[in-house]
Amino acid sequence: MDGYMFTIAQARKELDQGNISSLELTRACLRRIEALNPIIHACLLVDDEGALAAAALADKRLKQGERSDLLGIPYLVKDILMTKGLKTTAASKILENYIAPYDASVIARLKEAGAVMLGKTNLDEFAHGASTENSAFGPSKNPWDLSRVPGGSSGGSAAALAAGLCLFAIGTDTGGSIRQPASFCNLVGLKPSYGRVSRFGLLSMTSSTDTIGPLARTVEDAAMVLGVIAGNDGKDATTISGSVPDYRRELIENKKPLRIGVVSSCLDSGLDARLRQSILESLESLQKAGAVIKEIDLPYNKYSVPVYYVITPSELSSNLARFDGIGWGLSSPESADLLSFYKANRGQGFGPEAKRRIMLGTFALSAGYADAYYKKAQAVRELIRADFQKAFAEVDVLLTPTSPHPAFKLGAQDNDPLAMYLEDIYLAGASLAGLPAISVPGGFVFEGGEELPFGLQFIGAAGQEIEVLRAAGFWEKINNYFERRPNI
Ligand code: GLN
């Protein structure tokens, strides 16, 4: 029994009954990484030694009778979260040799829970992107079809989990970066509400929309991970106070009828016709299974991509200003004066997309333009938020596609920033409004002889992770897409 394709819930049972040890499970994942990482390039760093030590410790705790959701479960984490003593690069040359001096709160919580960290996964540089092609260290590949992207920016996490390199993976989602790769790799990807999970130790992208969450094989697994990483944190003043619900129990026990709002504008001509057809059929099966379906209009949602691409560059241009080669980041040895020192460090350290966004954001925030761009975008953001609020007076969750199409070919859009930004069309709204959202396996289409997965998204009201998990769990029970694994 190798176990690398287990769900967390399956592994939990085997570990608790003593049929497998955490060391065995961890070794199985490490072997899988050794065999497949050269092909899919999902991991930037593998910490064999640390993982084996953590697994041995988990086995000891298990022997002493301890039982908890993630004890002994191997996982990988996006390389934008601080991991004490290990390189944390954000897939950028500017942090190529940076070693984190402390653990992010999420990492500390997972450690305490006894989860076993195997290493760090690839991403678009500083999480700017939707394909991992913006990684300074080369793209990851989609295990369903190696000629395609796994999505991004948490593409390394998604590719790794889909290929069986770990049992769950941690990603970040600022404008879709957990949900879109989940959709391209047939996984569950949960973006929590803004503030549900501490951002302490996350290298900031867009501070007002950054979130951290799980990529998992099932909805129950996602609930188990969220239960461990969620909660108020004194180190992040934006975290939601109050106790964290028991997501897993709610998922299993909460049988309230489900009211689903379909955002009809998301099913229009921008969507791949095969996906539209399949989603219409899914709606029928949801209804047959007892869900109440209602059409919902979100009139301002069409502005979410333009608003997102003003606010995001603005915030990140300011966040990335700290990488000057003095306090942080690549430091070139020789420069005639301070300005050329900055230019050398930042010029060599940042890739083209980070530079593009720094320029866009600096412009949008500059005197004379901030009112027309940044402030206007913030005003429209409030209208987008209000649209959602109105909708949640009528329904428990909203349903949209996750992405307008299945995974695209490597290189197909990397010279077209606009096409890449449109990847976020169904995703940016929930991010701007700070809402929880989940992508779940939604079906498959045939393309070039390959079967490619795509995702369905459920969005909930702020703080209502339970509702999105419940909707996702309801959907999971009426299809078998979740069980499919790529042939790799
Ligand atoms: N595709 C989006 C972007 O490039 C999402 C990024 C993210 O969520 N980190 O900004």
Side-chain angles (χ1 to χ4, degrees):
M1 178 167 42
D2 273 341
Y4 54 77
M5 279 297 181
F6 277 166
T7 66
I8 299 176
Q10 282 170 334
R12 179 78 275 128
K13 226 196 243 153
E14 301 298 334
L15 285 166
D16 290 352
Q17 293 175 351
N19 300 333
I20 195 169
S21 68
S22 176
L23 262 174
E24 286 168 322
L25 206 50
T26 301
R27 286 205 183 99
C29 291
L30 290 172
R31 278 196 301 271
R32 190 85 177 154
I33 293 175
E34 203 183 339
L36 291 182
N37 201 47
I39 301 169
I40 60 172
H41 192 234
C43 303
L44 294 179
L45 176 144
V46 184
D47 180 21
D48 295 74
E49 215 177 292
L52 293 171
L57 189 65
D59 281 333
K60 211 161 132 202
R61 287 165 67 173
L62 279 160
K63 275 221 181 74
Q64 290 164 349
E66 189 179 330
R67 295 292 178 261
S68 59
D69 280 355
L70 301 186
L71 182 57
I73 307 285
Y75 76 100
L76 283 160
V77 59
K78 187 175 182 177
D79 197 21
I80 195 164
L81 281 160
M82 298 281 205
T83 44
K84 187 172 178 177
L86 294 177
K87 267 201 209 172
T88 299
T89 68
S92 176
K93 284 244 173 345
I94 214 159
L95 290 177
E96 191 165 7
N97 298 309
Y98 178 71
I99 295 183
Y102 60 87
D103 277 330
S105 290
V106 162
I107 301 292
R109 283 181 192 208
L110 287 167
K111 211 177 254 180
E112 209 184 296
V116 174
M117 196 191 70
L118 302 163
K120 315 284 297 276
T121 55
N122 197 15
L123 62 148
D124 289 294
E125 182 178 11
F126 281 103
H128 310 162
S131 68
T132 72
E133 291 167 295
N134 295 332
S135 167
F137 310 123
S140 302
K141 294 183 181 158
N142 191 321
W144 288 89
D145 174 352
L146 297 172
S147 69
R148 291 174 193 269
V149 303
S153 62
S154 313
S157 293
L161 181 60
L165 310 192
C166 54
L167 271 63
F168 71 92
I170 296 291
T172 65
D173 190 313
T174 298
S177 282
I178 289 175
R179 291 163 285 161
Q180 188 249 22
S183 143
F184 283 9
C185 294
N186 202 45
L187 297 167
V188 176
L190 174 63
K191 170 217 175 301
S193 308
Y194 181 74
R196 177 58 83 196
V197 174
S198 169
R199 290 178 294 119
F200 179 75
L202 165 66
L203 290 161
S204 305
M205 175 180 167
T206 308
S207 307
S208 75
T209 69
D210 285 345
T211 62
I212 303 169
L215 287 122
R217 295 192 173 119
T218 63
V219 180
E220 182 184 19
D221 282 8
M224 289 163 92
V225 179
L226 182 65
V228 168
I229 63 174
N232 182 251
D233 180 10
K235 293 173 177 158
D236 174 359
T238 61
T239 45
I240 300 170
S241 53
S243 61
V244 174
D246 186 339
Y247 297 111
R248 190 186 186 191
R249 210 183 60 210
E250 284 284 337
L251 176 68
I252 296 166
E253 290 176 7
N254 187 331
K255 302 268 187 266
K256 257 189 355 199
L258 197 64
R259 299 168 305 162
I260 301 175
V262 182
V263 186
S264 33
S265 55
C266 294
L267 299 178
D268 68 10
S269 57
L271 178 64
D272 181 318
R274 298 164 302 176
L275 269 63
R276 184 183 317 115
Q277 187 50 37
S278 168
I279 291 172
L280 291 174
E281 286 163 18
S282 305
L283 281 169
E284 257 174 53
S285 36
L286 281 162
Q287 199 163 19
K288 265 199 209 128
V292 177
I293 311 276
K294 210 176 160 155
E295 272 207 28
I296 292 284
D297 190 21
L298 298 174
Y300 286 100
N301 200 44
K302 59 174 175 283
Y303 300 113
S304 59
V305 167
V307 166
Y308 175 83
Y309 279 97
V310 172
I311 290 177
T312 279
S314 300
E315 290 190 26
L316 72 83
S317 69
S318 138
N319 276 327
L320 294 184
R322 75 187 61 147
F323 301 104
D324 57 4
I326 299 175
W328 283 77
L330 180 81
S331 203
S332 70
E334 272 171 51
S335 287
D337 51 46
L338 189 62
L339 191 63
S340 26
F341 179 69
Y342 286 157
K343 274 189 184 160
N345 298 332
R346 290 170 67 83
Q348 289 159 28
F350 287 126
E353 182 60 24
K355 285 179 188 159
R356 180 179 297 118
R357 294 188 189 209
I358 290 170
M359 286 189 282
L360 274 171
T362 307
F363 176 78
L365 289 176
S366 57
Y369 294 99
D371 282 349
Y373 293 100
Y374 182 68
K375 287 193 185 157
K376 185 69 153 230
Q378 289 289 18
V380 181
R381 180 185 195 169
E382 289 313 310
L383 297 173
I384 292 170
R385 207 195 296 268
D387 265 1
F388 278 116
Q389 244 160 21
K390 224 169 90 195
F392 291 121
E394 292 181 58
V395 294
D396 303 313
V397 290
L398 293 169
L399 182 146
T400 77
T402 305
S403 167
H405 43 233
F408 48 90
K409 293 266 186 192
L410 283 149
Q413 340 195 122
D414 62 350
N415 287 321
D416 187 349
L418 215 55
M420 213 55 116
Y421 296 170
L422 283 170
E423 287 298 309
D424 311 336
I425 186 136
Y426 308 127
L427 305 166
S431 293
L432 289 167
L435 309 177
I438 198 166
S439 179
V440 288
F444 290 83
V445 294
F446 270 102
E447 204 161 302
E450 296 286 341
E451 226 183 355
L452 297 175
F454 65 87
L456 279 185
Q457 174 180 230
F458 292 104
I459 306 172
Q464 293 300 319
E465 281 78 8
I466 284 175
E467 294 302 305
V468 303
L469 285 164
R470 223 158 60 76
F474 188 85
W475 166 243
E476 188 177 38
K477 282 208 192 73
I478 59 175
N479 69 80
N480 58 8
Y481 304 137
F482 290 78
E483 291 152 22
R484 310 267 296 268
R485 309 271 182 258
N487 202 354
I488 185 167

